[in-house]
Amino acid sequence: MKEMTLNPLPALTWNWLRMNKASFLEEAELEAKSANLETSALPEGAAFTSGKDLKAQEAAAPKSPARIEGALGKDFDALLDQNSSQGQEAAALLELKDGFNSASPLFVRANLEDGAASFKRLFVKAGDNVEATVIIEWTSEKSAKGLNAFQTKIAAGSNSRLKVATVQLLGSGFVQLNDIGCEAGENSSIEIAQLELGADKIFQGIKSALASARSCFVHNAAYCLDGQRELDMNFVAEQTGRETKSLMNVYGTLKDGAKKTYRGTIDFKRGCAASVGNETEETLLLSPEVVNKSIPLILCDEEDVQGEHGATIGRLDEDLLFYMKTRGLPLEEAQKMMARSKIARVAALIGDGQEAQKALDFFDQSMEDGGQE
């Protein structure tokens, strides 16, 4: 087994907080076998390719998303590089040409095998004046175990509107390593919606680079953890261009003995005058045994900026509980309803009704079964 450092903060905090980074012990006994990525029928102007040498080709290409940094860190990049060099077809490219516009979402799906370790990179390259929604979905058998190491690099040209949703519906024994790096061009926006509903341990990282004027990044994530499940998050909005905007929202529920760590950083770099950044976190605690850690940061090297962060962390409101009980709703059902509302809030942003319902059905079934085992 090999220990890796994941989700390092852009700026260190007090060591005694033990939140500057996360540690992960790689499962050596799993069989290295990357899942095949399947796409929906692509309209004209969109193309999907994959191959062992794709990362090297993209690294040398102009305006390639391959050069964009993620948030999980250098050890995670090295893990993907190592498994790519061992012969896996570990990279794929979804390219959207200039002017591409699709009202229907584009799907990239992967079904993972029990006992396998999958290592994949997906590059999403959107040209200028693009409007599109991309949905990435991971599934497996309900009780399957394994490792899903997945990295998505997203580049959007000027005057584009790109939405990307990731929906994780993996089995109860999986470890999910989900890394995203994105960069929006001038007058462009990238919106990301994330649902982490399966797996036992989840490491989630996003880094957005807003280097172009009037670029925008919006991120919404939701989760519900029960049993002894763990979630470690690291979200970074790096704003360098003038009049850039970032908005990050996280909605979650913790019950039983679940553990969650949230790192959220808005980094105002010199030159980003007239920029705005906002991050919020809502965490519902349903057990005294849960472990909840949150560290919102605002780093500032520019004067003319506005940055805000806030967190709402606590139990169900007593007045709300009383109201529900008077309507004949048991405590357990009231808790499920509130947890589901957080999932539904982000599911509505996916951009496809059937996929949103699939995610909600997965959540409902998990609650009926008593959650992840």
Side-chain angles (χ1 to χ4, degrees), residues 31-37 80 83-84 87-91 110-113 116-121 147-149:
E31 177 187 2
K33 188 174 183 180
S34 284
N36 293 324
L37 298 183
L80 294 181
N83 284 276
S84 176
Q88 292 202 48
E89 190 176 285
N111 185 261
L112 283 76
E113 296 184 13
S118 178
F119 306 89
K120 281 286 187 181
R121 279 189 171 101
L147 171 67
N148 182 37

Side-chain angles (χ1 to χ4, degrees), residues 138-156:
W138 303 283
T139 57
S140 74
E141 293 295 327
K142 180 180 175 182
S143 60
K145 69 176 182 178
L147 171 67
N148 182 37
F150 200 97
Q151 186 177 68
T152 308
K153 300 290 187 72
I154 307 164

